[in-house]
């Protein structure tokens, strides 16, 4: 009997831990630049997969709490139109003048009769228009300049929702004229393109991996075990951040020791 009770207690604790790991969002705070100077707050959210409410609050409530100047959304909002409508309704509650989005593979693939299939070009463009209509700037291989104080910022979004679709449509020489450059993409494979083409940036934000969803002893288990989680410094200027995301995959709807994440960057000017 004692053994049975012990097993039950262990199972209950395991279920509670998995629930906590899956539905308790952690805010990751990262300082870049001089903390003593004026700081711009940049928030990154990624890989919602239809998930907007968590144990510790709604997505909009948690984002609004940090009073962002810029919000970056790095793909995979939803897998169905119903999910997308729900997610966009929640994102509309975020109080920020500048929201940017780059598409992920789940904007390219739709769930049809329990199977994922590639959307037509027309359906894909319709999804991007729907997102744009929610007052979110869609960056699909294009740039968006922003003046913040006396600094010139550039937000550039790559479309690597399908491998090989990413393009830099600006000259590298033109990028050099900006004080701060933030690059967005969905898949971390974009780092190879950026390094091969010597693309300058201060911060490269991606998602896609979910941090692996399962982590043991601080290590990712599974297909993305060779990618880091969080911030990696490439050189004196370049910083590369892989977000754990907020949702889960359809095949593995849980997390273990890999909490959903909202990344909050304080960038000193």
């Amino acid at each position: 009997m004692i053994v049975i009770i012990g097993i039950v207690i262990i199972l209950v604790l395991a279920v509670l831990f998995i629930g906590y790991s899956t539905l308790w969002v952690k805010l990751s705070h990262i300082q870049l630049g001089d903390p003593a100077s004026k700081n711009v707050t940049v928030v990154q959210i990624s890989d919602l997969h239809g998930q907007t409410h968590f144990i510790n609050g709604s997505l909009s409530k948690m984002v609004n709490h940090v009073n962002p100047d810029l919000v970056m959304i790095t793909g995979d909002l939803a897998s169905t139109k119903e999910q997308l409508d729900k997610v966009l309704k929640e994102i509309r509650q975020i109080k920020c003048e500048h929201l940017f989005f780059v598409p992920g593979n789940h904007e390219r693939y739709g769930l049809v009769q329990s199977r994922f299939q590639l959307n037509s070009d027309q359906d894909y463009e319709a999804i991007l228009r729907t997102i744009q209509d929610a007052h979110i700037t869609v960056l699909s291989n294009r740039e968006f300049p922003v003046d913040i104080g006396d600094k010139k910022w550039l937000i550039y979004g790559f479309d690597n929702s399908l491998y090989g679709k990413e393009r830099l449509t600006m000259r590298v020489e033109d990028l050099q004229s900006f004080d701060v450059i933030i690059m967005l993409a969905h898949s971390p494979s974009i780092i190879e393109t950026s390094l091969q083409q010597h693309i300058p940036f201060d911060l490269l934000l991606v998602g896609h991996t979910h941090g692996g969803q399962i982590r043991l002893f601080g290590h990712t288990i599974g297909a993305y075990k060779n990618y880091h989680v969080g911030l990696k410094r490439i050189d004196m200027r370049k910083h590369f951040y892989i977000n754990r995301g907020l949702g889960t995959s359809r095949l593995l709807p849980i997390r273990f020791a890999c909490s959903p994440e909202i990344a909050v960057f304080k960038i000193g000017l």
Side-chain angles (χ1 to χ4, degrees), residues 19-268:
Y20 172 81
S21 294
T22 305
L23 293 172
W24 185 277
V25 176
K26 290 188 176 180
L27 272 68
S28 302
H29 294 271
I30 303 99
Q31 176 70 52
L32 298 176
D34 184 2
S37 64
K38 178 184 177 181
N39 277 258
V40 175
T41 302
V42 177
V43 165
Q44 181 200 10
I45 57 177
S46 193
D47 298 270
L48 279 75
H49 294 283
Q51 187 71 42
T52 59
H53 287 73
F54 303 87
I55 295 172
N56 49 333
S58 68
L59 171 66
S60 61
K61 179 181 178 181
M62 288 184 280
V63 172
N64 288 338
H65 182 70
V66 300
N67 192 27
D69 297 294
L70 304 168
V71 173
M72 313 299 185
I73 309 169
T74 47
D76 281 7
L77 290 180
S79 299
T80 66
K81 184 182 184 303
E82 292 74 22
Q83 285 184 348
L84 182 60
D85 291 342
K86 181 185 75 169
V87 167
L88 292 178
K89 181 179 179 181
E90 180 65 22
I91 290 177
R92 286 189 184 96
Q93 305 304 312
I94 294 176
K95 298 175 182 177
C96 182
E97 182 180 356
H98 297 294
L99 293 94
F100 300 96
F101 171 83
V102 290
N105 53 296
H106 278 261
E107 279 70 53
R108 286 281 183 179
Y109 287 84
L111 188 61
V112 179
Q113 296 181 347
S114 300
R115 296 181 64 183
F116 282 104
Q117 63 184 39
L118 185 65
N119 289 323
S120 67
D121 289 343
Q122 292 84 354
D123 288 342
Y124 175 65
E125 293 299 329
I127 289 169
L128 297 189
R129 284 196 300 271
T130 299
I131 296 169
Q132 188 85 42
D133 289 344
H135 307 293
I136 302 167
T137 300
V138 175
L139 299 179
S140 182
N141 294 326
R142 72 182 185 94
E143 75 280 359
F144 192 98
V146 181
D147 291 331
I148 301 179
D150 60 349
K151 303 292 184 181
K152 293 171 59 181
W153 288 51
L154 182 77
I155 318 300
Y156 189 93
F158 290 99
D159 179 358
N160 65 351
S161 56
L162 289 177
Y163 293 115
K165 290 286 186 180
E166 62 273 6
R167 297 287 184 273
L168 179 66
T169 56
M170 299 177 65
R171 297 190 311 161
V172 171
E173 294 79 5
D174 294 334
L175 288 171
Q176 303 288 1
S177 66
F178 290 90
D179 299 297
V180 180
I181 301 171
I182 298 181
M183 297 279 181
L184 312 177
H186 179 62
S187 170
S189 63
I190 194 65
I191 189 63
E192 299 163 10
T193 300
S194 68
L195 294 177
Q196 289 169 2
Q197 298 183 19
H198 304 287
I199 299 172
F201 62 84
D202 296 279
L203 183 60
L204 171 59
L205 301 175
V206 304
H208 186 56
T209 69
H210 301 187
Q213 288 188 203
I214 306 295
R215 291 177 65 79
L216 295 176
F217 307 108
H219 296 283
T220 299
I221 304 299
Y224 301 114
K225 62 183 179 181
N226 293 325
Y227 282 112
H228 68 277
V229 174
L231 187 68
K232 181 177 182 179
R233 189 170 183 175
I234 304 299
D235 59 29
M236 290 297 293
R237 177 179 184 180
K238 297 177 180 177
H239 300 81
F240 178 28
Y241 197 89
I242 303 180
N243 194 295
R244 296 194 302 271
L246 288 161
T248 57
S249 72
R250 182 168 169 267
L251 295 178
L252 184 65
I254 63 169
R255 291 172 176 265
F256 188 88
C258 184
S259 298
E261 172 187 33
I262 295 172
V264 182
F265 300 87
K266 294 287 186 178
I267 302 180

